[in-house]
Amino acid sequence: MLYEMKKAVQAFHRPGIDTSPWRMVRNVAPYYLPGELKVSSPLTIYWSINSVCNLRCKMCDVGMFNEEGMFFKNLRIDRKLHEVDIEVFKRVVDEVKDDKPFMALNSTEPLMYKPLAEAIAYCTENGLKTGVTTGAYTLPRQAQALAEAGLSRLSVSMDGPPDIHNHIRGRKDSFEQAYAGVEAFAAASRKLGRRPEIYLNCTITNMNHHRLVDFYKAIEPLPVNTINFTYMWFIDPETAAEQNALYGDRYAVSPSCYSEWIDPHAVDIDLLYDQIQQLKDKPKVHFSPLFTREELERYFHSPNEFVNPAGRCLASWFFLQVLADGGVIVYTRCHSKPVGNINDQSIAEIWNGDEMKGWRRFIQNAGKMPMCKRCDLAY
């Protein structure tokens, strides 16, 4: 229980979480109470609003076109362009607006979704907070429209100082575009008298772990609320094999976010730990979570071990994930088995439907699976 309480506190720093402690307690209560109780409405609805991206990130299945990776299968689906129909999106808003979920548009690249400002404005008009997580390449020219639409939280993914970020993202000016976009959105919001939250998210990999302090110095002038450092999610081949030997008939996975560029063993733990120590007390900086040196060693150099064997996955008591084709799954970094589809079901039907209840029963009994070893919801 103590482990789960710590994870709950960390959750308030996640770009896709905006809720109260009371609502979190309300939703998780059925997990601990006897019987199969109905779970209150989701606190967050994550939207993979489309299936395309304009960056070529070296740590991403989509960017590296790793068709066998779980992340690719969940986001790119069948290698075709998919996007949530705006009228379907509005119907969902109409359905859930009284429950006030946070609407988090987090993939594949929301800024490539043409009706994005319309979708956000509709949420704003109906009293729902919104978040957009983006690589921000086209943010400078879209910042005004997002501010006018009433975007509540902008989360921009940046991976290091300009040379590192541009190398990782595969475009020579991606740092400069993201930087200018944050400035433009902040300025446009101020002129409108609005105060949205602005997050910067930096994912730590072997490609940038030695330059985190340089990254902080490069972005320190930006008007942001939180600089959130997270650790690279991946499924290594050994973990995939272990998962499939145990649960392949129901929840099969494949190695994910492993490419010629990604090598967790190449992370210099002493160097990374020193970078973290220099940054952890800086204004606005948050590490999700703040690992000890031993935990960092285990995370990157023993990828087939849990960093902390305690704790459970409670994700499906808090949120659900909508994919670009309308399918609903647990999480883009989880298995691909659907629990419903918004094109022909309501959120209420999916959230407490047979498929979701079956999954909750399973993970409640299992606690965690091998594939959970590097998931930030479980480690």
Side-chain angles (χ1 to χ4, degrees):
M1 177 69 78
L2 179 60
Y3 181 87
E4 281 83 0
M5 291 175 65
K6 289 180 179 179
K7 290 293 290 183
V9 171
Q10 294 170 10
F12 288 103
H13 292 276
R14 288 178 61 87
I17 297 292
D18 189 310
T19 189
S20 67
W22 155 243
R23 293 188 72 197
M24 293 187 76
V25 170
R26 178 202 68 184
N27 273 53
V28 79
Y31 184 97
Y32 294 101
L33 295 175
E36 192 171 87
L37 301 178
K38 183 178 179 181
V39 181
S40 296
S41 57
L43 305 182
T44 295
I45 300 177
Y46 284 105
W47 294 85
S48 295
I49 203 72
N50 59 13
S51 63
V52 291
C53 189
N54 51 13
L55 295 176
R56 295 294 177 263
C57 304
K58 291 178 171 59
M59 69 290 196
C60 177
D61 285 341
V62 176
M64 290 292 96
F65 216 79
N66 174 21
E67 295 182 75
E68 296 305 312
M70 296 305 300
F71 210 44
F72 186 98
K73 292 176 181 178
N74 285 335
L75 293 182
R76 286 289 283 141
I77 309 175
D78 54 7
R79 298 177 58 186
K80 297 177 181 177
L81 170 62
H82 294 275
E83 61 179 24
V84 175
D85 184 273
I86 186 62
E87 296 307 319
V88 174
F89 182 88
K90 289 179 178 179
R91 174 177 59 74
V92 172
V93 171
D94 291 340
E95 177 195 342
V96 303
K97 60 185 178 184
D98 292 338
D99 297 319
K100 303 294 186 204
F102 186 65
M103 304 291 267
L105 288 73
N106 64 335
S107 56
T108 295
E109 174 45 68
L111 296 192
M112 295 182 71
Y113 181 60
K114 291 183 178 178
L116 179 62
E118 181 182 354
I120 293 167
Y122 195 76
C123 289
T124 303
E125 292 163 9
N126 284 278
L128 297 183
K129 292 184 178 181
T130 51
V132 164
T133 299
T134 173
Y137 192 75
T138 61
L139 184 58
R141 64 175 181 264
Q142 293 178 257
Q144 182 69 38
L146 295 179
E148 290 176 356
L151 179 63
S152 310
R153 180 182 294 166
L154 174 68
S155 299
V156 175
S157 299
M158 300 183 77
D159 302 307
D163 60 322
I164 294 290
H165 177 85
N166 292 340
H167 169 70
I168 291 174
R169 296 277 160 170
R171 299 193 77 151
K172 63 181 181 181
D173 59 344
S174 56
F175 181 94
E176 292 75 13
Q177 291 293 325
Y179 195 105
V182 170
E183 290 184 315
F185 177 73
S189 298
R190 282 196 302 270
K191 287 183 180 179
L192 293 167
R194 291 175 170 160
R195 295 180 176 274
E197 294 179 292
I198 302 177
Y199 280 40
L200 295 186
N201 301 316
C202 180
T203 300
I204 300 170
T205 71
N206 56 286
M207 295 181 288
N208 66 359
H209 73 283
H210 58 302
R211 300 285 300 279
L212 304 185
V213 173
D214 291 340
F215 167 66
Y216 179 82
K217 292 176 180 177
I219 53 85
E220 192 173 7
L222 284 175
V224 303
N225 302 87
T226 300
I227 304 166
N228 195 31
F229 290 92
T230 59
Y231 306 93
M232 179 65 202
W233 169 82
F234 56 87
I235 299 177
D236 70 299
E238 185 179 351
T239 297
E242 182 185 1
Q243 169 75 21
N244 293 336
L246 293 171
Y247 305 111
D249 58 331
R250 289 172 288 179
Y251 305 116
V253 301
S254 54
S256 292
C257 293
Y258 252 58
S259 73
E260 60 182 299
W261 300 100
I262 293 299
D263 181 5
H265 293 277
V267 174
D268 184 320
I269 301 302
D270 289 327
L271 183 53
L272 172 57
Y273 185 69
D274 179 66
Q275 295 274 299
I276 292 173
Q277 294 309 300
Q278 292 185 59
L279 290 173
K280 66 183 179 65
D281 296 321
K282 295 288 188 183
K284 305 175 184 178
V285 168
H286 177 77
F287 284 87
S288 298
L290 184 61
F291 281 146
T292 65
R293 192 209 172 281
E294 291 72 23
E295 288 171 330
L296 289 171
E297 178 87 37
R298 197 175 306 128
Y299 190 94
F300 288 106
H301 291 178
S302 300
N304 194 238
E305 297 179 15
F306 278 104
V307 178
N308 190 328
R312 300 169 181 273
C313 178
L314 304 177
S316 298
W317 282 258
F318 295 131
F319 62 75
L320 53 73
Q321 174 85 52
V322 180
L323 300 180
D325 64 352
V328 178
I329 61 171
V330 173
Y331 194 37
T332 54
R333 298 176 183 182
C334 199
H335 60 80
S336 300
K337 187 174 181 179
V339 295
N341 193 298
I342 61 166
N343 289 318
D344 49 36
Q345 292 174 281
S346 68
I347 293 296
E349 288 171 335
I350 297 170
W351 185 241
N352 279 294
D354 290 341
E355 292 294 333
M356 194 62 149
K357 287 193 292 187
W359 161 251
R360 288 194 186 109
R361 281 193 300 271
F362 168 82
I363 200 62
Q364 193 170 16
N365 292 326
K368 296 192 248 193
M369 294 183 287
M371 65 170 295
C372 304
K373 289 175 180 176
R374 291 299 171 266
C375 178
D376 59 340
L377 301 173
Y379 61 63

PDB file of all heavy atoms in Angstrom, residues 286-315:
ATOM      1  N   HIS A 286      11.576  17.962 -11.895  1.00  0.00           N
ATOM      2  CA  HIS A 286      11.004  16.783 -11.245  1.00  0.00           C
ATOM      3  C   HIS A 286      11.497  15.542 -11.984  1.00  0.00           C
ATOM      4  O   HIS A 286      11.489  15.488 -13.215  1.00  0.00           O
ATOM      5  CB  HIS A 286       9.473  16.824 -11.292  1.00  0.00           C
ATOM      6  CG  HIS A 286       8.835  15.610 -10.698  1.00  0.00           C
ATOM      7  ND1 HIS A 286       8.735  15.409  -9.344  1.00  0.00           N
ATOM      8  CD2 HIS A 286       8.295  14.508 -11.286  1.00  0.00           C
ATOM      9  CE1 HIS A 286       8.149  14.244  -9.111  1.00  0.00           C
ATOM     10  NE2 HIS A 286       7.866  13.684 -10.264  1.00  0.00           N
ATOM     11  N   PHE A 287      11.942  14.542 -11.221  1.00  0.00           N
ATOM     12  CA  PHE A 287      12.314  13.250 -11.798  1.00  0.00           C
ATOM     13  C   PHE A 287      11.228  12.237 -11.464  1.00  0.00           C
ATOM     14  O   PHE A 287      10.803  12.134 -10.318  1.00  0.00           O
ATOM     15  CB  PHE A 287      13.663  12.772 -11.243  1.00  0.00           C
ATOM     16  CG  PHE A 287      14.840  13.476 -11.840  1.00  0.00           C
ATOM     17  CD1 PHE A 287      15.305  14.669 -11.299  1.00  0.00           C
ATOM     18  CD2 PHE A 287      15.468  12.959 -12.958  1.00  0.00           C
ATOM     19  CE1 PHE A 287      16.389  15.330 -11.858  1.00  0.00           C
ATOM     20  CE2 PHE A 287      16.556  13.609 -13.527  1.00  0.00           C
ATOM     21  CZ  PHE A 287      17.015  14.804 -12.977  1.00  0.00           C
ATOM     22  N   SER A 288      10.768  11.509 -12.474  1.00  0.00           N
ATOM     23  CA  SER A 288       9.659  10.559 -12.310  1.00  0.00           C
ATOM     24  C   SER A 288      10.146   9.125 -12.500  1.00  0.00           C
ATOM     25  O   SER A 288      10.109   8.596 -13.608  1.00  0.00           O
ATOM     26  CB  SER A 288       8.558  10.853 -13.324  1.00  0.00           C
ATOM     27  OG  SER A 288       8.011  12.115 -13.139  1.00  0.00           O
ATOM     28  N   PRO A 289      10.550   8.446 -11.410  1.00  0.00           N
ATOM     29  CA  PRO A 289      10.782   8.950 -10.057  1.00  0.00           C
ATOM     30  C   PRO A 289      12.242   9.339  -9.871  1.00  0.00           C
ATOM     31  O   PRO A 289      13.055   9.209 -10.803  1.00  0.00           O
ATOM     32  CB  PRO A 289      10.425   7.749  -9.186  1.00  0.00           C
ATOM     33  CG  PRO A 289      10.887   6.589 -10.025  1.00  0.00           C
ATOM     34  CD  PRO A 289      10.647   6.989 -11.466  1.00  0.00           C
ATOM     35  N   LEU A 290      12.587   9.780  -8.648  1.00  0.00           N
ATOM     36  CA  LEU A 290      13.974  10.089  -8.323  1.00  0.00           C
ATOM     37  C   LEU A 290      14.640   8.801  -7.838  1.00  0.00           C
ATOM     38  O   LEU A 290      14.574   8.439  -6.672  1.00  0.00           O
ATOM     39  CB  LEU A 290      14.046  11.171  -7.245  1.00  0.00           C
ATOM     40  CG  LEU A 290      15.451  11.668  -6.879  1.00  0.00           C
ATOM     41  CD1 LEU A 290      16.145  12.283  -8.088  1.00  0.00           C
ATOM     42  CD2 LEU A 290      15.378  12.668  -5.731  1.00  0.00           C
ATOM     43  N   PHE A 291      15.274   8.086  -8.762  1.00  0.00           N
ATOM     44  CA  PHE A 291      15.900   6.808  -8.440  1.00  0.00           C
ATOM     45  C   PHE A 291      17.184   6.998  -7.632  1.00  0.00           C
ATOM     46  O   PHE A 291      17.904   7.992  -7.800  1.00  0.00           O
ATOM     47  CB  PHE A 291      16.266   6.048  -9.716  1.00  0.00           C
ATOM     48  CG  PHE A 291      15.136   5.335 -10.377  1.00  0.00           C
ATOM     49  CD1 PHE A 291      15.076   5.220 -11.765  1.00  0.00           C
ATOM     50  CD2 PHE A 291      14.126   4.732  -9.636  1.00  0.00           C
ATOM     51  CE1 PHE A 291      14.058   4.534 -12.399  1.00  0.00           C
ATOM     52  CE2 PHE A 291      13.090   4.041 -10.255  1.00  0.00           C
ATOM     53  CZ  PHE A 291      13.059   3.949 -11.636  1.00  0.00           C
ATOM     54  N   THR A 292      17.487   6.018  -6.793  1.00  0.00           N
ATOM     55  CA  THR A 292      18.800   5.950  -6.177  1.00  0.00           C
ATOM     56  C   THR A 292      19.806   5.476  -7.223  1.00  0.00           C
ATOM     57  O   THR A 292      19.432   5.024  -8.321  1.00  0.00           O
ATOM     58  CB  THR A 292      18.810   4.960  -4.997  1.00  0.00           C
ATOM     59  OG1 THR A 292      18.574   3.637  -5.508  1.00  0.00           O
ATOM     60  CG2 THR A 292      17.726   5.311  -3.973  1.00  0.00           C
ATOM     61  N   ARG A 293      21.098   5.545  -6.875  1.00  0.00           N
ATOM     62  CA  ARG A 293      22.096   5.067  -7.819  1.00  0.00           C
ATOM     63  C   ARG A 293      21.892   3.579  -8.121  1.00  0.00           C
ATOM     64  O   ARG A 293      22.036   3.124  -9.262  1.00  0.00           O
ATOM     65  CB  ARG A 293      23.509   5.292  -7.270  1.00  0.00           C
ATOM     66  CG  ARG A 293      24.578   5.088  -8.345  1.00  0.00           C
ATOM     67  CD  ARG A 293      25.894   4.624  -7.785  1.00  0.00           C
ATOM     68  NE  ARG A 293      26.783   4.273  -8.900  1.00  0.00           N
ATOM     69  CZ  ARG A 293      26.724   3.122  -9.586  1.00  0.00           C
ATOM     70  NH1 ARG A 293      25.798   2.206  -9.284  1.00  0.00           N
ATOM     71  NH2 ARG A 293      27.552   2.883 -10.590  1.00  0.00           N
ATOM     72  N   GLU A 294      21.572   2.789  -7.082  1.00  0.00           N
ATOM     73  CA  GLU A 294      21.360   1.356  -7.259  1.00  0.00           C
ATOM     74  C   GLU A 294      20.156   1.086  -8.158  1.00  0.00           C
ATOM     75  O   GLU A 294      20.185   0.153  -8.977  1.00  0.00           O
ATOM     76  CB  GLU A 294      21.155   0.688  -5.898  1.00  0.00           C
ATOM     77  CG  GLU A 294      22.386   0.644  -5.014  1.00  0.00           C
ATOM     78  CD  GLU A 294      22.792   1.996  -4.439  1.00  0.00           C
ATOM     79  OE1 GLU A 294      21.908   2.897  -4.349  1.00  0.00           O
ATOM     80  OE2 GLU A 294      23.969   2.177  -4.094  1.00  0.00           O
ATOM     81  N   GLU A 295      19.119   1.875  -8.016  1.00  0.00           N
ATOM     82  CA  GLU A 295      17.937   1.703  -8.866  1.00  0.00           C
ATOM     83  C   GLU A 295      18.241   2.072 -10.313  1.00  0.00           C
ATOM     84  O   GLU A 295      17.746   1.419 -11.250  1.00  0.00           O
ATOM     85  CB  GLU A 295      16.784   2.539  -8.317  1.00  0.00           C
ATOM     86  CG  GLU A 295      16.192   1.973  -7.033  1.00  0.00           C
ATOM     87  CD  GLU A 295      15.198   2.908  -6.371  1.00  0.00           C
ATOM     88  OE1 GLU A 295      15.347   4.146  -6.515  1.00  0.00           O
ATOM     89  OE2 GLU A 295      14.276   2.403  -5.694  1.00  0.00           O
ATOM     90  N   LEU A 296      19.047   3.100 -10.519  1.00  0.00           N
ATOM     91  CA  LEU A 296      19.461   3.457 -11.880  1.00  0.00           C
ATOM     92  C   LEU A 296      20.249   2.320 -12.519  1.00  0.00           C
ATOM     93  O   LEU A 296      20.053   1.991 -13.697  1.00  0.00           O
ATOM     94  CB  LEU A 296      20.309   4.728 -11.862  1.00  0.00           C
ATOM     95  CG  LEU A 296      19.604   6.040 -11.548  1.00  0.00           C
ATOM     96  CD1 LEU A 296      20.627   7.156 -11.361  1.00  0.00           C
ATOM     97  CD2 LEU A 296      18.618   6.414 -12.659  1.00  0.00           C
ATOM     98  N   GLU A 297      21.137   1.730 -11.727  1.00  0.00           N
ATOM     99  CA  GLU A 297      21.932   0.604 -12.219  1.00  0.00           C
ATOM    100  C   GLU A 297      21.032  -0.540 -12.659  1.00  0.00           C
ATOM    101  O   GLU A 297      21.205  -1.132 -13.735  1.00  0.00           O
ATOM    102  CB  GLU A 297      22.874   0.128 -11.103  1.00  0.00           C
ATOM    103  CG  GLU A 297      23.716  -1.062 -11.465  1.00  0.00           C
ATOM    104  CD  GLU A 297      25.017  -0.693 -12.166  1.00  0.00           C
ATOM    105  OE1 GLU A 297      25.626   0.335 -11.803  1.00  0.00           O
ATOM    106  OE2 GLU A 297      25.396  -1.433 -13.087  1.00  0.00           O
ATOM    107  N   ARG A 298      20.046  -0.851 -11.835  1.00  0.00           N
ATOM    108  CA  ARG A 298      19.135  -1.942 -12.152  1.00  0.00           C
ATOM    109  C   ARG A 298      18.295  -1.601 -13.374  1.00  0.00           C
ATOM    110  O   ARG A 298      18.066  -2.446 -14.242  1.00  0.00           O
ATOM    111  CB  ARG A 298      18.247  -2.235 -10.941  1.00  0.00           C
ATOM    112  CG  ARG A 298      17.537  -3.584 -10.989  1.00  0.00           C
ATOM    113  CD  ARG A 298      16.782  -3.859  -9.705  1.00  0.00           C
ATOM    114  NE  ARG A 298      17.657  -3.739  -8.541  1.00  0.00           N
ATOM    115  CZ  ARG A 298      17.391  -2.984  -7.478  1.00  0.00           C
ATOM    116  NH1 ARG A 298      16.279  -2.286  -7.423  1.00  0.00           N
ATOM    117  NH2 ARG A 298      18.229  -2.932  -6.472  1.00  0.00           N
ATOM    118  N   TYR A 299      17.832  -0.364 -13.452  1.00  0.00           N
ATOM    119  CA  TYR A 299      16.939   0.032 -14.543  1.00  0.00           C
ATOM    120  C   TYR A 299      17.618  -0.138 -15.900  1.00  0.00           C
ATOM    121  O   TYR A 299      17.043  -0.725 -16.826  1.00  0.00           O
ATOM    122  CB  TYR A 299      16.494   1.488 -14.366  1.00  0.00           C
ATOM    123  CG  TYR A 299      15.402   1.892 -15.318  1.00  0.00           C
ATOM    124  CD1 TYR A 299      14.064   1.814 -14.942  1.00  0.00           C
ATOM    125  CD2 TYR A 299      15.685   2.327 -16.614  1.00  0.00           C
ATOM    126  CE1 TYR A 299      13.049   2.162 -15.822  1.00  0.00           C
ATOM    127  CE2 TYR A 299      14.677   2.663 -17.493  1.00  0.00           C
ATOM    128  CZ  TYR A 299      13.365   2.583 -17.098  1.00  0.00           C
ATOM    129  OH  TYR A 299      12.368   2.915 -17.981  1.00  0.00           O
ATOM    130  N   PHE A 300      18.829   0.376 -16.023  1.00  0.00           N
ATOM    131  CA  PHE A 300      19.484   0.377 -17.329  1.00  0.00           C
ATOM    132  C   PHE A 300      20.354  -0.852 -17.583  1.00  0.00           C
ATOM    133  O   PHE A 300      20.481  -1.286 -18.733  1.00  0.00           O
ATOM    134  CB  PHE A 300      20.331   1.647 -17.480  1.00  0.00           C
ATOM    135  CG  PHE A 300      19.510   2.894 -17.665  1.00  0.00           C
ATOM    136  CD1 PHE A 300      19.366   3.804 -16.638  1.00  0.00           C
ATOM    137  CD2 PHE A 300      18.874   3.151 -18.867  1.00  0.00           C
ATOM    138  CE1 PHE A 300      18.601   4.956 -16.800  1.00  0.00           C
ATOM    139  CE2 PHE A 300      18.109   4.292 -19.049  1.00  0.00           C
ATOM    140  CZ  PHE A 300      17.972   5.200 -18.010  1.00  0.00           C
ATOM    141  N   HIS A 301      20.953  -1.415 -16.563  1.00  0.00           N
ATOM    142  CA  HIS A 301      21.905  -2.496 -16.786  1.00  0.00           C
ATOM    143  C   HIS A 301      21.357  -3.883 -16.491  1.00  0.00           C
ATOM    144  O   HIS A 301      22.010  -4.884 -16.794  1.00  0.00           O
ATOM    145  CB  HIS A 301      23.168  -2.241 -15.971  1.00  0.00           C
ATOM    146  CG  HIS A 301      23.969  -1.072 -16.458  1.00  0.00           C
ATOM    147  ND1 HIS A 301      25.131  -0.648 -15.842  1.00  0.00           N
ATOM    148  CD2 HIS A 301      23.777  -0.232 -17.511  1.00  0.00           C
ATOM    149  CE1 HIS A 301      25.607   0.401 -16.504  1.00  0.00           C
ATOM    150  NE2 HIS A 301      24.805   0.669 -17.510  1.00  0.00           N
ATOM    151  N   SER A 302      20.172  -3.946 -15.889  1.00  0.00           N
ATOM    152  CA  SER A 302      19.514  -5.242 -15.654  1.00  0.00           C
ATOM    153  C   SER A 302      18.074  -5.139 -16.151  1.00  0.00           C
ATOM    154  O   SER A 302      17.128  -5.197 -15.363  1.00  0.00           O
ATOM    155  CB  SER A 302      19.549  -5.603 -14.164  1.00  0.00           C
ATOM    156  OG  SER A 302      20.865  -5.700 -13.695  1.00  0.00           O
ATOM    157  N   PRO A 303      17.893  -4.966 -17.451  1.00  0.00           N
ATOM    158  CA  PRO A 303      16.565  -4.648 -17.993  1.00  0.00           C
ATOM    159  C   PRO A 303      15.527  -5.742 -17.822  1.00  0.00           C
ATOM    160  O   PRO A 303      14.339  -5.489 -18.012  1.00  0.00           O
ATOM    161  CB  PRO A 303      16.839  -4.382 -19.473  1.00  0.00           C
ATOM    162  CG  PRO A 303      18.106  -5.104 -19.770  1.00  0.00           C
ATOM    163  CD  PRO A 303      18.913  -5.027 -18.519  1.00  0.00           C
ATOM    164  N   ASN A 304      15.960  -6.944 -17.428  1.00  0.00           N
ATOM    165  CA  ASN A 304      14.990  -8.013 -17.240  1.00  0.00           C
ATOM    166  C   ASN A 304      14.564  -8.157 -15.779  1.00  0.00           C
ATOM    167  O   ASN A 304      13.865  -9.087 -15.419  1.00  0.00           O
ATOM    168  CB  ASN A 304      15.555  -9.347 -17.748  1.00  0.00           C
ATOM    169  CG  ASN A 304      14.504 -10.417 -17.894  1.00  0.00           C
ATOM    170  OD1 ASN A 304      14.601 -11.474 -17.303  1.00  0.00           O
ATOM    171  ND2 ASN A 304      13.477 -10.152 -18.688  1.00  0.00           N
ATOM    172  N   GLU A 305      14.967  -7.188 -14.942  1.00  0.00           N
ATOM    173  CA  GLU A 305      14.571  -7.202 -13.539  1.00  0.00           C
ATOM    174  C   GLU A 305      13.629  -6.033 -13.246  1.00  0.00           C
ATOM    175  O   GLU A 305      13.731  -4.970 -13.862  1.00  0.00           O
ATOM    176  CB  GLU A 305      15.795  -7.069 -12.621  1.00  0.00           C
ATOM    177  CG  GLU A 305      16.782  -8.204 -12.713  1.00  0.00           C
ATOM    178  CD  GLU A 305      17.971  -7.983 -11.791  1.00  0.00           C
ATOM    179  OE1 GLU A 305      17.880  -7.109 -10.901  1.00  0.00           O
ATOM    180  OE2 GLU A 305      18.984  -8.673 -11.980  1.00  0.00           O
ATOM    181  N   PHE A 306      12.714  -6.230 -12.291  1.00  0.00           N
ATOM    182  CA  PHE A 306      11.933  -5.104 -11.797  1.00  0.00           C
ATOM    183  C   PHE A 306      12.837  -4.199 -10.972  1.00  0.00           C
ATOM    184  O   PHE A 306      13.664  -4.681 -10.192  1.00  0.00           O
ATOM    185  CB  PHE A 306      10.769  -5.582 -10.923  1.00  0.00           C
ATOM    186  CG  PHE A 306       9.566  -6.020 -11.694  1.00  0.00           C
ATOM    187  CD1 PHE A 306       9.270  -7.365 -11.850  1.00  0.00           C
ATOM    188  CD2 PHE A 306       8.723  -5.083 -12.275  1.00  0.00           C
ATOM    189  CE1 PHE A 306       8.156  -7.774 -12.567  1.00  0.00           C
ATOM    190  CE2 PHE A 306       7.611  -5.482 -12.996  1.00  0.00           C
ATOM    191  CZ  PHE A 306       7.324  -6.827 -13.139  1.00  0.00           C
ATOM    192  N   VAL A 307      12.685  -2.900 -11.140  1.00  0.00           N
ATOM    193  CA  VAL A 307      13.432  -1.967 -10.306  1.00  0.00           C
ATOM    194  C   VAL A 307      12.983  -2.116  -8.859  1.00  0.00           C
ATOM    195  O   VAL A 307      13.776  -2.134  -7.930  1.00  0.00           O
ATOM    196  CB  VAL A 307      13.230  -0.515 -10.784  1.00  0.00           C
ATOM    197  CG1 VAL A 307      13.974   0.462  -9.873  1.00  0.00           C
ATOM    198  CG2 VAL A 307      13.711  -0.361 -12.221  1.00  0.00           C
ATOM    199  N   ASN A 308      11.687  -2.230  -8.689  1.00  0.00           N
ATOM    200  CA  ASN A 308      11.109  -2.472  -7.371  1.00  0.00           C
ATOM    201  C   ASN A 308      10.018  -3.514  -7.540  1.00  0.00           C
ATOM    202  O   ASN A 308       9.014  -3.253  -8.202  1.00  0.00           O
ATOM    203  CB  ASN A 308      10.541  -1.179  -6.778  1.00  0.00           C
ATOM    204  CG  ASN A 308      10.144  -1.321  -5.322  1.00  0.00           C
ATOM    205  OD1 ASN A 308       9.716  -2.387  -4.881  1.00  0.00           O
ATOM    206  ND2 ASN A 308      10.289  -0.237  -4.562  1.00  0.00           N
ATOM    207  N   PRO A 309      10.181  -4.700  -6.977  1.00  0.00           N
ATOM    208  CA  PRO A 309       9.184  -5.760  -7.178  1.00  0.00           C
ATOM    209  C   PRO A 309       7.858  -5.490  -6.473  1.00  0.00           C
ATOM    210  O   PRO A 309       6.873  -6.163  -6.742  1.00  0.00           O
ATOM    211  CB  PRO A 309       9.868  -7.002  -6.592  1.00  0.00           C
ATOM    212  CG  PRO A 309      10.852  -6.461  -5.611  1.00  0.00           C
ATOM    213  CD  PRO A 309      11.325  -5.161  -6.175  1.00  0.00           C
ATOM    214  N   ALA A 310       7.836  -4.504  -5.576  1.00  0.00           N
ATOM    215  CA  ALA A 310       6.585  -4.173  -4.894  1.00  0.00           C
ATOM    216  C   ALA A 310       5.650  -3.432  -5.838  1.00  0.00           C
ATOM    217  O   ALA A 310       6.013  -3.036  -6.939  1.00  0.00           O
ATOM    218  CB  ALA A 310       6.874  -3.322  -3.658  1.00  0.00           C
ATOM    219  N   GLY A 311       4.432  -3.238  -5.394  1.00  0.00           N
ATOM    220  CA  GLY A 311       3.490  -2.444  -6.163  1.00  0.00           C
ATOM    221  C   GLY A 311       2.717  -3.232  -7.198  1.00  0.00           C
ATOM    222  O   GLY A 311       3.055  -4.362  -7.535  1.00  0.00           O
ATOM    223  N   ARG A 312       1.694  -2.600  -7.704  1.00  0.00           N
ATOM    224  CA  ARG A 312       0.800  -3.219  -8.680  1.00  0.00           C
ATOM    225  C   ARG A 312       0.437  -2.205  -9.753  1.00  0.00           C
ATOM    226  O   ARG A 312       0.647  -1.011  -9.579  1.00  0.00           O
ATOM    227  CB  ARG A 312      -0.481  -3.704  -7.988  1.00  0.00           C
ATOM    228  CG  ARG A 312      -0.241  -4.729  -6.897  1.00  0.00           C
ATOM    229  CD  ARG A 312      -1.486  -4.963  -6.069  1.00  0.00           C
ATOM    230  NE  ARG A 312      -1.234  -5.938  -5.006  1.00  0.00           N
ATOM    231  CZ  ARG A 312      -1.341  -7.256  -5.155  1.00  0.00           C
ATOM    232  NH1 ARG A 312      -1.710  -7.749  -6.313  1.00  0.00           N
ATOM    233  NH2 ARG A 312      -1.079  -8.067  -4.167  1.00  0.00           N
ATOM    234  N   CYS A 313      -0.111  -2.688 -10.844  1.00  0.00           N
ATOM    235  CA  CYS A 313      -0.598  -1.796 -11.881  1.00  0.00           C
ATOM    236  C   CYS A 313      -2.060  -1.446 -11.585  1.00  0.00           C
ATOM    237  O   CYS A 313      -2.928  -2.311 -11.587  1.00  0.00           O
ATOM    238  CB  CYS A 313      -0.497  -2.447 -13.254  1.00  0.00           C
ATOM    239  SG  CYS A 313      -1.161  -1.393 -14.566  1.00  0.00           S
ATOM    240  N   LEU A 314      -2.303  -0.168 -11.334  1.00  0.00           N
ATOM    241  CA  LEU A 314      -3.658   0.303 -11.037  1.00  0.00           C
ATOM    242  C   LEU A 314      -4.207   1.175 -12.172  1.00  0.00           C
ATOM    243  O   LEU A 314      -5.237   1.825 -12.019  1.00  0.00           O
ATOM    244  CB  LEU A 314      -3.659   1.106  -9.731  1.00  0.00           C
ATOM    245  CG  LEU A 314      -3.102   0.394  -8.498  1.00  0.00           C
ATOM    246  CD1 LEU A 314      -3.099   1.332  -7.304  1.00  0.00           C
ATOM    247  CD2 LEU A 314      -3.911  -0.844  -8.180  1.00  0.00           C
ATOM    248  N   ALA A 315      -3.509   1.172 -13.306  1.00  0.00           N
ATOM    249  CA  ALA A 315      -3.852   2.081 -14.398  1.00  0.00           C
ATOM    250  C   ALA A 315      -5.311   1.981 -14.819  1.00  0.00           C
ATOM    251  O   ALA A 315      -5.969   2.996 -15.082  1.00  0.00           O
ATOM    252  CB  ALA A 315      -2.950   1.810 -15.598  1.00  0.00           C
TER     253      ALA A 315
END
